[in-house]
Amino acid sequence: MDFASLPKVVLHDHLDGGLRPATIVELAAEYGYTDLPTTDFEALEQWFDQGLSGSLEQYLAAFDHTVAVMQHPEAVERVAYESLVDAANDGVIHLESRFAPSLLTGGGMDRLEALGAAAAGFRRAESETAATWGLIVDAMRQDSDSDDVAEVAIAAKDLGVVGFDLAGPEAGFPASRHRGACETVLAAGLGLTIHAGEAAGPRSILDALDCGAQRIGHGFRIIDDCVVTDGEIVDLGPVARRVHEGRIPLEICPISTTHTTGMPVADHPIDLLRRAGFVVTVSPDNRLMSRTTTSGEYRLLATTFGWGPSEFDHVGRAAAGAIFGTGSLRTVVRDRLAEGTRPVNLE
């Protein structure tokens, strides 16, 4: 199967986790960042591969370098442009990209300026590829500025911001610490997705749901609240039932999960969850740190679980239905999926 030819919808993709290695080296030289482990493109790509990280905290440490070269508007615009071009070349027809603007203020840029720069890059890429996009604004769980970040996200709605997220270390930093920010963005009409059920279990997912989360970032540990017998989910605990009956989409990123947890691919519960009727979507998470693409995720699922066109069509339609933004956009994306319409490839 030619996985790159399949039109795809991506809901979970970190802008600062998907830089091209060559771009990192060039931006470091341009802005005087001297702490890269190497300036050889191929060696740097290998260094960023977090396949053996084994924990979310170690995996996240690699972001220090990508964030460091994104401290200027021109850099953010370039990274956003290249991100959507690369996704479109992989068959992605709609991309929701997320990042934490608070992490990009070290060079004097403010949060709103960072979001504006990203939007400019995405708009330019959209004009060339016809791939559509939306921005999700991250606040970091371990920080205390989520209320301010929420206000900036709302102020940037006209720039293409469609959602708000809580990211960063999950264990020890419950979503409920940021309940006020979550309530603020929901009241303003933004979508709310929260990283949960990745490094912590169902209680973390419940905490996110109680904050109003409409989607769950990762969320695969919902399996810990399910009863599995003979390779099938036969009963649901209270949190799993709430997710299942509420049709809460799970933004599952299989390859990065194997990197942050050490879980063997064959043990990933994505296929169990899909067969049990959970709303499963597939995304690459961090294309650089996990050396992946959405096609790479699809290929893994085909090889490991025997997924074929019907399964990929199912998760694509599930993702299209979960897009943040207007109903008309969801309709357009669904139609493009049904037609098999790909973006324009750029060299």
Side-chain angles (χ1 to χ4, degrees):
M1 184 184 301
D2 180 7
F3 296 100
S5 70
L6 296 176
K8 309 169 187 73
V9 177
V10 168
L11 301 181
H12 195 114
D13 187 272
H14 289 269
L15 184 64
D16 47 359
L19 282 70
R20 298 172 181 174
T23 296
I24 297 172
V25 172
E26 291 168 10
L27 291 176
E30 182 174 355
Y31 295 111
Y33 180 69
T34 60
D35 289 341
L36 290 180
T38 176
T39 56
D40 178 85
F41 298 164
E42 293 184 1
L44 188 63
E45 183 177 27
Q46 180 65 44
W47 184 91
F48 270 108
D49 184 350
Q50 295 298 302
L52 298 177
S53 62
S55 74
L56 179 60
E57 289 76 14
Q58 185 171 335
Y59 185 96
L60 293 176
F63 284 80
D64 291 347
H65 298 294
T66 57
V67 167
V69 300
M70 292 175 63
Q71 297 295 319
H72 302 273
E74 296 80 8
V76 176
E77 180 175 348
R78 174 179 174 177
V79 169
Y81 168 80
E82 292 177 352
S83 175
L84 187 55
V85 166
D86 291 347
N89 285 342
D90 189 44
V92 175
I93 62 174
H94 184 80
L95 173 72
E96 285 189 353
S97 180
R98 62 186 73 189
F99 70 98
S102 294
L103 300 181
L104 305 185
T105 59
M109 179 170 55
D110 64 34
R111 298 184 186 99
L112 189 60
E113 192 176 8
L115 292 169
F122 285 125
R123 284 195 298 268
R124 182 157 57 95
E126 180 180 12
S127 71
E128 298 176 10
T129 66
T132 52
W133 56 278
L135 267 174
I136 296 175
V137 177
D138 281 335
M140 304 306 291
R141 285 173 171 268
Q142 69 272 33
D143 293 339
S144 58
D145 64 348
S146 58
D147 289 334
D148 293 336
V149 176
E151 294 295 343
V152 171
I154 294 166
K157 287 175 67 175
D158 290 343
L159 295 175
V161 169
V162 295
F164 183 79
D165 174 34
L166 297 175
E170 187 179 353
F173 298 99
S176 52
R177 295 177 65 213
H178 309 280
R179 190 186 304 273
C182 295
E183 293 173 349
T184 296
V185 296
L186 287 170
L190 289 178
L192 178 62
T193 179
I194 296 178
H195 281 69
E198 179 186 16
R203 183 175 296 181
S204 174
I205 297 173
L206 177 62
D207 192 42
L209 294 174
D210 286 345
C211 286
Q214 299 158 321
R215 298 185 338 217
I216 299 294
H218 299 285
F220 65 90
R221 291 196 185 277
I222 196 67
I223 194 68
D224 297 339
D225 197 43
C226 301
V227 178
V228 179
T229 302
D230 296 330
E232 297 294 337
I233 294 174
V234 297
D235 199 9
L236 304 177
V239 182
R241 190 170 302 281
R242 182 171 170 182
V243 171
H244 189 276
E245 294 181 354
R247 310 297 295 157
I248 305 296
L250 303 175
E251 304 163 358
I252 295 183
C253 309
I255 291 178
S256 75
T257 293
T258 68
H259 295 171
T260 60
T261 66
M263 174 190 294
V265 174
D267 292 344
H268 197 292
I270 184 172
D271 196 48
L272 273 174
L273 295 168
R274 180 193 63 81
R275 296 200 309 271
F278 285 86
V279 181
V280 168
T281 68
V282 176
S283 292
D285 199 12
N286 300 292
R287 288 176 262 169
L288 174 65
M289 285 69 173
S290 288
R291 296 187 77 174
T292 188
T293 60
T294 311
S295 288
E297 306 287 337
Y298 279 23
R299 185 175 299 108
L300 178 77
L301 295 169
T303 301
T304 307
F305 301 114
W307 284 24
S310 62
E311 288 82 7
F312 295 126
D313 177 67
H314 179 81
V315 297
R317 286 187 287 108
I323 289 171
F324 290 151
T326 64
S328 60
L329 175 60
R330 286 189 286 274
T331 298
V332 167
V333 174
R334 282 196 191 102
D335 289 346
R336 292 185 70 189
L337 277 175
E339 296 163 359
T341 304
R342 276 183 46 93
V344 176
N345 279 62
L346 297 180
E347 297 298 328

